[in-house]
Amino acid sequence: MTRRPDNDVIGLGIIVAAVLMFVANGSVVVGDFLRAILSGDAPHEPMLGIALILNIALLLFGWRRYVDLTREVGQRRKAEETAHRLAHTDPLTGCLNRRSVGKALEDIIRAARITGHELVVMMMDIDNFKRANDTHGHQAGDAVLTQTVERVAALLPERSLMARLGGDEFAFAAIYDPDHAEAIERLMARITAAISRPVMIDGLSLDVTASIGLATSADKADADPAELSAALLHRADLAMYQAKKSGRNRYSWFEDVMESELRFRSELERGIREGIPRGEFVPYYEKQVDLDTGELTGFEMLARWKSPRHGIVSPDIFIPIAEEIGLISELSESLIRQALRDAREWDPRLTLSVNISPLQLRDPWFAQKLLKLLVEANFPPNRLDIEITETCLHESIGVVRTLITSLKNQGIRISLDDFGTGYSSLAQLRTLPFDQIKIDRFFVSTLGTNKDSATIIEAISSLGKGLNMPMTAEGIESPEVLDELRKFGSFKGQGFLYGQPVDAQEVRAMLAERALLQGSDDPAADTQAQTDTPRTALG
Ligand code: C2E
Ligand code: MG
Ligand code: MG
């Protein structure tokens, strides 16, 4: 809101005119009045007296208006200042906000250049802030934010900048002498130590750590301040992301390679986004075998990305990205749909195992979506096996239990994948109705070379026997490992000894050879044909 200047001019004009009139009028009236008293006559200009009284009234009115206006101006200025502050700062911490950080950084860059200084930008994200907020409440969350910022503020040099960019994300900028750049490391050591002192709130002591990314203006002497300010924030952000990736509670310096990694990563993201509707994600299949009889029991579906740009890409690369960009459900559904179509052609004794991401388990509609796919493909639920990894159990065990129960009620089987890597407790295993445990391939493939692996497999196999749960050993790579494994009991197994994962056509061809396709009522379709000894598989 701004004041109209012409109003002021008119007001001022009225006051000036009234004063002039008062002076001119007053001298005539006072003279006339004095003359009238001295001569005893009536005043010559009685109307001028009345005009003078009106003039005084006008002056009083003008004065009053002037006082009002001055007060109004003061109030407006205060309101404008408050609006400006609210628009540019964060009310909780008093830091600048995202909107104003760029311009403020530009100003510091210009000031630093005049004195021959450089600028360091620190991007800070408080580790596991959401969890602290959810567990202890928003008041505690606010205390963590304000106290952390206060501690950093106390250590930053004069003329530093502090901005809150989002929930728990902050940017700080400080100028430094390029001849003493090591001062930054000292500052960081002090900041990290200050942050890690527990935050006290209502007798509660909260341990806080933060991940910080650092970038300096040192190699950008000629850059335009506006561009440099954006580049420094971006670089510090990349470095912060690296600090998070390397285990949090640390600081990382920006390196050029981070920029190319980011470019590669966004290229992969785009590739995944565009590749799903184009059908570039396809199921591969790995044989699962009964080790006692050598019989082929089914296949595990393993996703592959046939990327036009990168060739065949492993799921270890694209699954985590699909999870992060929120496409895992879509991707998984497309793969399961294809796999059900493929597996419908196989002998009905053969099962299909599919891997499910922990994120999908959190989807309340997951069971319904899966059933819909089964109905669409007209695939019997008892031939489907869902593999969930042990790490799912750390999340929300209640949700997982409900989901498992509802899937099992439909006849779907559930396996606990990569067992031995996630420290699940015996109690968890007992209360969750798994149909099968899959021993992680690391222990299996190192059996014979690593003593600990043998001990772990022995422990897992007696656990499986105790719980009466069948076990599958993944990662059987050699006949030696197979022989070792047999010493620990009965297992189903899978691994490169039986062949590498192959695509649907190859599976189809292999099954056709053994007369293990639906409808092939060949007499050869007996157990003999289904038998998959390592020797035949290895050729
Ligand atoms: P996983 O479920 O434990 O799958 C077994 C992995 O071990 C597969 O790797 C397989 O190729 C590999 N493997 C099999 N036999 C051997 C062997 O003898 N030696 C060695 N060293 N490795 C062997 P892959 O295909 O790269 O899959 C990696 C992981 O990606 C899988 O681990 C699974 O957790 C995940 N994954 C695969 N497909 C999907 C999917 O459709 N959805 C989800 N959410 N995850 C998937
Ligand atoms: Mg698996
Ligand atoms: Mg596994």
Side-chain angles (χ1 to χ4, degrees), residues 46 52 92 142 147 168 180 190 195 212 232 262 291 314 362 384 412 435 442 472 482 518:
L52 184 66
L92 179 69
D142 286 355
Q147 291 192 31
D168 61 341
H180 297 284
R190 288 209 298 271
I195 293 176
I212 303 178
L232 286 177
L262 179 75
L291 298 187
S314 138
R362 283 195 221 143
L384 184 67
I412 297 168
D435 294 289
F442 172 80
T472 293
L482 182 60
Q518 282 266 36

Side-chain angles (χ1 to χ4, degrees), residues 288 300-302 353-356 387-389 417-418 438 441 474 494:
Q288 295 180 316
E300 175 175 2
M301 187 270 279
L302 296 163
S353 300
V354 295
N355 295 282
I356 293 299
E387 295 192 2
I388 66 174
T389 53
D417 202 1
D418 302 343
K438 294 186 74 174
R441 63 181 182 270
E474 337 174 285
Q494 58 185 91

Side-chain angles (χ1 to χ4, degrees), residues 283 285 288 297-301 333 335-354 367-386 407 410-413 507 511 516-518:
Y285 299 97
Q288 295 180 316
T297 58
F299 293 89
E300 175 175 2
M301 187 270 279
E333 275 176 42
L335 285 159
I336 295 176
R337 191 173 287 119
Q338 298 177 62
L340 291 175
R341 216 168 33 222
D342 294 337
R344 213 178 35 193
E345 299 188 350
W346 307 340
D347 186 292
R349 283 169 294 177
L350 297 174
T351 57
L352 170 70
S353 300
V354 295
Q368 274 86 340
K369 287 179 184 167
L370 197 62
L371 288 174
K372 187 163 168 268
L373 290 174
L374 284 168
V375 171
E376 270 172 19
N378 192 20
F379 193 87
N382 60 2
R383 284 182 62 198
L384 184 67
D385 190 329
I386 295 290
L407 292 177
Q410 308 294 330
I412 297 168
R413 281 180 304 167
V507 170
L511 293 180
L516 284 174
L517 285 180
Q518 282 266 36

